[in-house]
């Protein structure tokens, strides 16, 4: 599946060349930077959920129409490229997957060439445009996938919802970090739209729409996708504070240093305000500051003792159970149920 | 036409509400900021060329299919919203059409609310996402326009080319300003893709494709659109240096202060290098610096005396004549020919 998705993406980039080359080497280089970014890796999670959703709704991989479906599913990786490239500007991230982020890459090229002007601003400017290109090309890839008119018509509203929701979720996230809405409800809403809808719910829904699934299966997929998607982000929130750097690839406690407004933190603050104001004060004063390893350890203890970890673990269990029940009760094929159950467990399992 | 386009856009924004409102007031506000930006004005140039292209290829406004065509043409304004919002970040522009640019608007909101973090970075981050939303919604609007499957299929490759070209043109522009490719050829290439293809050639081509025009008319439209589009930008380049601030709405000589790499400047530098190295040195030393009115006047004289203004005026005349000839010789309807001739003259006429 991963190889097939990457092949589709690679073919798509080859197909863009006649549009790109007339503009000359600068644009060829930029398109290559996007291609490298997209093909460099990632788990192809969204195409996998979309494809499995299609199979589970009766899609037959031997059907001639399967080819177009796989291409349309693969295009999700171009939406994701835009989201990551623009997010990295917004979060001022310097590296991704062991490479400089796109804006840092172009900042470094600018500096290396001794060009005029602000190198960082130049890098961000180029990365804005390369992200835009990824978003436009995602659309092109779905339009050129070879879906028939009826499939296109079923696909379009789900595709529209997915992109609007992820952009809205990112806006809420920025707003939450700047404006400091500390409520659990606000953190859950960001989680739902920025992660759950975008990563699992809507990709499954896209697959189901392409297979012309009935409303009942779509509803079951969406329930499963929302629940497992939220649980997946809650697990990620726990890993961001308690995870082993060797596994997460991020410095221990990084989410605390970044001041991320996760459900875990919102839960700890709420509990602190009710039962231990000094703990809440300490948390508020430390979040988003450059704390050292001892301070990270101290905050972990505070968050745990406030009961926030247990509360988040309970949410994960409840959501996972509810999602898996919706899946089990659905009319999805047995093979897809088994596959989706495995994917859900991988996304939500305790790993630290 | 302008009113009809604005009505379509306004209807589209109403139609997005069910997708936007579940995410809450922060996203509702952002969508409203985009709507205000789009509806605040502009000449609706691109929809006008697309619609006229469709009429000229035999499109009948009384045909039931006209409705979908007008909606698809109106969606060009959402691509343009993305281009402007992101360009304003890239160019660090503070105002547009008498209002704060989107990133400045959100920077000011951040500051006004006394939020944590860097207000300018917050403003840019929100504006990146609102621009992305405009680009995604442009696509949604064309998919939901009601075009039949055959029209969609003719539309898609032109739509794809247009967006790829404008993003490529913007990349070349940034690269040219930073890296300083001073050649006339480089300036003409930016002009062609960033302005001509995006503003006239491809909108006309889109209209023709929707009307299922034959290859001959499409070729004539593209010749006309490229020539008139380049001439339009050359006129704009002259206005940016010699224009009356009361007419252009920009401080006199602003393009010189910004260091824009226009064909006019490239032509002056080329001529200076050949015949008057001191003039070329003065130009290079002054471009992109904060020069006063006397220095602007001095540079104008230098540019004029080098013969660059006459050379650009000749290019404008030649291109306009060639474009109008291609139009006159085409099979477009007489009404469309007359309308396009007027639009070409308005875009390229001497106005200072």
């Amino acid at each position: 599946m991963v190889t097939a998705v990457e092949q589709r993406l690679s073919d798509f980039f080859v197909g863009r060349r006649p549009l790109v080359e007339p503009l000359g080497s600068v644009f060829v280089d930029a398109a290559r930077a996007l291609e490298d970014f997209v093909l460099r890796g990632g788990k192809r999670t969204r195409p996998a959920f979309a494809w499995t959703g299609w199979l589970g709704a009766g899609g037959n991989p031997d059907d001639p129409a399967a080819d177009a479906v796989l291409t349309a599913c693969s295009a999700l990786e171009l939406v994701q490229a835009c989201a990551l490239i623009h997010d990295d500007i917004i979060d001022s991230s310097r590296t991704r997957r062991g490479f400089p982020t796109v804006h840092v890459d172009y900042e470094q090229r600018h500096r290396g060439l001794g060009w005029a002007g602000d190198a960082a601003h130049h890098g961000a400017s180029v990365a804005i445009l390369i992200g835009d290109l990824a978003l436009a090309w995602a659309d092109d890839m779905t339009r050129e996938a070879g879906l028939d008119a009826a499939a296109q018509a079923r696909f379009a509203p789900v595709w529209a919802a997915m992109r609007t929701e992820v952009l809205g979720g990112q806006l809420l996230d920025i707003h939450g970090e700047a404006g400091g809405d500390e409520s659990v409800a606000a953190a859950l809403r960001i989680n739902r739209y920025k992660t759950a809808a975008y990563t699992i719910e809507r990709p499954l829904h896209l697959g189901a729409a392409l297979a012309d699934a009935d409303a009942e299966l779509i509803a079951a997929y969406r329930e499963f996708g929302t629940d497992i998607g939220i649980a997946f982000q809650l697990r990620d929130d726990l890993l961001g504070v308690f995870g082993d750097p060797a596994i997460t690839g991020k410095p221990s406690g990084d989410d605390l240093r970044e001041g991320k407004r996760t459900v875990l933190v919102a839960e700890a603050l709420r509990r602190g305000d009710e039962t231990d104001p000094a703990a809440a004060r300490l948390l508020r004063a430390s979040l988003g500051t450059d704390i050292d390893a001892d301070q990270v350890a101290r905050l972990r203890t505070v968050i745990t003792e406030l009961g926030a970890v247990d509360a988040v673990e309970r949410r994960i269990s409840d959501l996972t159970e509810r999602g898996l029940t919706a899946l089990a009760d659905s009319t999805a094929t047995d093979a897809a149920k088994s596959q989706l159950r495995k994917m859900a467990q991988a996304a939500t399992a305790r790993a630290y």
Side-chain angles (χ1 to χ4, degrees), chain A:
Chain A
M1 162 74 197
V2 168
T3 313
V5 167
E6 289 174 359
Q7 189 58 50
R8 296 310 164 102
L9 289 162
S10 175
D11 292 348
F12 175 79
F13 281 104
V14 171
R16 288 299 94 171
R17 285 190 197 153
L19 274 181
V20 169
E21 284 169 357
L23 280 78
S25 62
V26 170
F27 194 36
V28 169
D29 282 353
R32 172 57 58 98
L34 175 59
E35 181 175 350
D36 289 347
F37 182 88
V38 170
L39 295 181
R40 189 175 290 148
K43 298 188 293 281
R44 317 302 178 195
T45 306
R46 290 161 194 83
F49 274 111
W51 177 250
T52 310
W54 181 76
L55 291 175
N60 175 359
D62 297 325
D63 188 311
D67 195 58
V69 170
L70 182 60
T71 303
C73 294
S74 302
L76 286 162
E77 289 290 298
L78 285 169
V79 177
Q80 174 68 351
C82 171
L84 294 177
I85 291 167
H86 284 177
D87 245 16
D88 284 340
I89 304 171
I90 291 169
D91 295 341
S92 304
S93 302
R94 308 289 301 173
T95 60
R96 174 171 295 278
R97 298 175 191 150
F99 288 83
T101 50
V102 173
H103 65 104
V104 168
D105 178 17
Y106 276 89
E107 176 185 330
Q108 288 169 347
R109 294 186 198 203
H110 184 285
R111 211 165 266 142
L113 291 161
W115 280 355
D118 180 333
H121 186 77
H122 176 81
S125 298
V126 173
I128 288 173
L129 295 172
I130 291 181
D132 289 349
L133 194 66
L135 189 58
W137 283 7
D139 258 298
D140 295 346
M141 192 169 175
T142 70
R143 287 182 200 254
E144 295 166 18
L147 298 172
D148 66 35
Q152 288 254 26
R154 294 191 303 267
F155 177 85
V158 189
W159 180 251
M162 183 200 66
R163 291 178 309 165
T164 296
E165 285 164 353
V166 67
L167 289 166
Q170 288 176 293
L171 267 164
L172 297 187
D173 197 11
I174 291 177
H175 189 274
E177 279 180 28
D181 183 341
E182 294 177 342
S183 70
V184 173
L188 272 173
R189 186 147 62 179
I190 294 167
N191 176 332
R192 165 151 193 206
Y193 290 106
K194 188 174 170 180
T195 304
Y198 172 57
T199 309
I200 310 189
E201 179 199 354
R202 292 299 189 181
L204 278 173
H205 189 178
L206 277 174
L210 288 172
D212 203 9
D214 61 26
E216 206 183 322
L217 179 55
I218 288 174
Y221 272 169
R222 293 186 65 187
E223 174 73 50
F224 168 85
T226 304
D227 292 341
I228 301 302
I230 294 175
F232 161 64
Q233 182 60 54
L234 294 177
R235 174 62 61 211
D236 201 57
D237 294 348
L238 285 167
L239 290 172
V241 174
F242 296 93
D244 179 348
I247 295 171
T248 65
K250 299 205 295 184
S252 177
D254 222 32
D255 279 7
L256 297 173
R257 265 181 221 102
E258 285 178 15
K260 270 204 196 165
R261 296 291 172 175
T262 61
V263 172
L264 177 67
V265 166
E267 190 69 68
L269 288 173
R270 186 181 69 74
R271 287 160 179 265
D273 286 340
E274 279 172 15
T275 63
D276 188 349
R281 269 197 304 279
L282 174 69
L283 259 177
R284 285 201 180 86
S286 313
L287 286 171
T289 66
D290 193 21
I291 49 179
D292 65 22
D294 284 352
Q295 289 167 304
V296 167
R298 173 94 193 277
L299 292 184
R300 283 177 174 167
T301 306
V302 166
I303 291 169
T304 307
E305 287 181 350
L306 284 168
V309 175
D310 286 346
V312 169
E313 287 287 5
R314 267 196 309 278
R315 273 186 199 272
I316 294 175
S317 303
D318 291 350
L319 286 163
T320 305
E321 195 186 316
R322 194 168 72 183
L324 289 175
T325 303
L327 176 69
D329 292 349
S330 78
T331 58
T333 64
D334 287 341
K337 282 182 184 177
S338 158
Q339 178 67 21
L340 289 172
R341 207 178 309 119
K342 269 187 240 160
M343 290 164 85
Q345 273 151 358
T348 59
R350 204 182 285 251
Y352 60 95

